[in-house]
Amino acid sequence: AQKVTQAQTEISVVEKEDVTLDCVYETRDTTYYLFWYKQPPSGELVFLIRRNSFDEQNEISGRYSWNFQKSTSSFNFTITASQVVDSAVYFCALSEAVNNNDMRFGAGTRLTVKP
Amino acid sequence: ETGVTQTPRHLVMGMTNKKSLKCEQHLGHNAMYWYKQSAKKPLELMFVYSLEERVENNSVPSRFSPECPNSSHLFLHLHTLQPEDSALYLCASSQLIGTGGYGYTFGSGTRLTVV
């Protein structure tokens, strides 16, 4: 079965610092999808990005960037020039192509950005 | 404004009460999910409905009873709960199971406290 590990439980940075959230996954499937979600204090999980297993191209969206490396089974998330509004819990998730109803989430990383 | 609406946002109930959580989506999705999020625990998948049929029940105690009357609505009926059931209950929806790779859209959750 698939598994997602987010080893960093909590991270605290000062505003404008760069921060990287780690995500390591395990799966036996060759086709799978990786996701990052943000959970602000309001509670809902907000979708940030989806990446399929055949697309290792890194992606940048504003201050957010994602580094997908199949060789190390990692899908790390970097926030550049962090802001207080980035404070949230971030979840990495994995679903296998034939079984979308079994998305596995990591334990989450709580990011606190201090002014 | 999330595409998935959950009510109520907060609920306090005694162990002998019966209550229901409601989830509604108008995104055209045909799969819906209940997740439990306890403090310092990973998101736990409870139930999955695809085309209004339950396709997964992850060993959830019978004091939790889901209902999916149509593809837009999902309920979680609660009765004789225990204090350890206090948690954030999140509803999510997605496109049809099996097509893979679709992220979930989450509601803001119901914060349940059992006293």
Side-chain angles (χ1 to χ4, degrees):
Chain A
Q2 69 268 43
K3 180 182 176 182
V4 177
T5 302
Q6 293 178 257
Q8 303 151 307
T9 305
E10 295 188 30
I11 300 176
S12 181
V13 299
V14 177
E15 208 170 18
K16 297 185 182 178
E17 286 185 14
D18 298 347
V19 58
T20 295
L21 310 181
D22 297 333
C23 174
V24 174
Y25 63 91
E26 296 175 27
T27 178
R28 294 179 181 176
D29 273 17
T30 56
T31 304
Y32 52 89
Y33 299 86
L34 295 162
F35 304 83
W36 275 95
Y37 287 86
K38 174 182 180 180
Q39 186 179 36
S42 55
E44 81 277 16
L45 273 75
V46 178
F47 168 81
L48 296 179
I49 190 173
R50 179 189 75 194
R51 171 68 71 224
N52 75 57
S53 53
F54 297 107
D55 182 3
E56 288 194 70
Q57 188 173 4
N58 291 330
E59 182 158 340
I60 298 174
S61 176
R63 296 183 297 106
Y64 294 171
S65 62
W66 291 269
N67 183 0
F68 176 29
Q69 293 196 349
K70 288 179 76 171
S71 60
T72 56
S73 297
S74 65
F75 186 44
N76 296 337
F77 172 30
T78 297
I79 302 175
T80 303
S82 59
Q83 300 176 2
V84 173
V85 293
D86 296 326
S87 297
V89 181
Y90 290 86
F91 291 92
C92 181
L94 164 73
S95 74
E96 293 166 343
V98 296
N99 195 17
N100 190 45
N101 66 315
D102 192 11
M103 181 178 289
R104 296 297 175 95
F105 286 83
T109 297
R110 179 176 299 279
L111 174 65
T112 302
V113 181
K114 299 178 181 178
Chain B
E1 180 69 36
T2 178
V4 177
T5 303
Q6 288 187 245
T7 54
R9 289 298 307 275
H10 301 274
L11 178 63
V12 179
M13 59 186 288
M15 288 189 284
T16 58
N17 291 159
K18 289 185 180 180
K19 296 286 185 183
S20 296
L21 310 184
K22 180 181 177 183
C23 176
E24 186 173 353
Q25 62 91 7
H26 295 288
L27 300 170
H29 292 167
N30 40 30
M32 297 187 78
Y33 313 81
W34 278 117
Y35 278 87
K36 176 183 178 182
Q37 186 178 24
S38 306
K40 299 184 179 181
K41 279 189 176 182
L43 283 160
E44 300 172 64
L45 178 64
M46 300 176 72
F47 300 104
V48 180
Y49 276 83
S50 172
L51 298 174
E52 302 154 41
E53 288 191 16
R54 191 190 310 180
V55 296
E56 187 150 341
N57 175 348
N58 275 353
S59 303
V60 179
S62 60
R63 55 186 185 270
F64 295 92
S65 175
E67 178 190 2
C68 187
N70 55 61
S71 61
S72 298
H73 294 86
L74 184 66
F75 295 89
L76 187 62
H77 304 300
L78 317 170
H79 65 96
T80 59
L81 294 191
Q82 304 299 312
E84 60 265 28
D85 296 322
S86 298
L88 179 68
Y89 289 84
L90 289 160
C91 174
S93 68
S94 74
Q95 290 289 20
L96 184 64
I97 286 173
T99 50
Y102 290 97
Y104 296 178
T105 302
F106 282 85
S108 298
T110 295
R111 176 72 61 186
L112 173 68
T113 303
V114 181
V115 297

